[in-house]
Amino acid sequence: MSYYFNAVLKGKSFDEAVDLVTAELKTEGFGVLTEIDVQGTLKKKIGADFKKYKILGACNPHFAHKALQSEDKIGVFLPCNVIVEENESGEIEVSAVDPIASMSSVQNPDLGELASEVQQKMKKVIAALG
């Protein structure tokens, strides 16, 4: 089982891709709680050069609330991360965590249906990009 699903965007710049992903997440009821600029952070903290790479921490408050009510430690898996990266070829790739894969280690049957619902929404986001 893969732990993510992805799409390669054609004809978009990195910044356009970040904006598009944010908009598509919003369409599915997700907001971006965190935005981590990995390239900038690695350069600042350790002087390392790295490709353009952002981690967007996406959260749907209704799903998060349900998950936390079922399993209060599920917060270790929240928010749902989506990455936007520029590959060596210059193509922009977007990858989203598969919530079923990430939550499969939790032994709580109430989370299975919820993870499936979130997975479907994340798949819609990725499908809308490609």
Side-chain angles (χ1 to χ4, degrees):
M1 171 190 280
S2 179
Y3 60 94
Y4 69 94
F5 24 91
N6 64 327
V8 175
L9 280 62
K10 304 288 185 200
K12 299 285 182 197
S13 72
F14 184 83
D15 291 333
E16 288 172 333
V18 171
D19 290 343
L20 180 59
V21 170
T22 301
E24 290 300 333
L25 285 165
K26 187 175 181 179
T27 298
E28 291 300 322
F30 292 84
V32 174
L33 297 178
T34 59
E35 186 173 312
I36 302 168
D37 176 1
V38 174
Q39 180 188 48
T41 299
L42 292 176
K43 186 66 169 177
K44 180 180 177 182
K45 299 290 184 180
I46 62 172
D49 291 323
F50 195 70
K51 63 185 173 181
K52 291 180 181 178
Y53 191 107
K54 284 196 178 179
I55 303 171
L56 306 176
C59 180
N60 178 306
H62 299 289
F63 288 129
H65 184 241
K66 285 181 186 178
L68 289 164
Q69 285 179 315
S70 296
E71 183 77 36
D72 70 340
K73 303 300 185 274
I74 203 67
V76 300
F77 289 119
L78 301 178
C80 295
N81 285 331
V82 178
I83 60 172
V84 180
E85 63 183 301
E86 184 176 72
N87 294 328
E88 288 181 21
S89 64
E91 290 182 317
I92 306 301
E93 183 176 359
V94 179
S95 303
V97 67
D98 182 341
I100 291 177
S102 65
M103 291 189 189
S104 65
S105 62
V106 181
Q107 301 299 313
N108 184 331
D110 293 339
L111 293 175
E113 184 179 321
L114 186 61
S116 182
E117 289 181 65
V118 175
Q119 181 195 59
Q120 293 309 308
K121 289 191 169 290
M122 282 296 188
K123 283 185 173 183
K124 283 183 183 177
V125 168
I126 296 299
L129 301 172

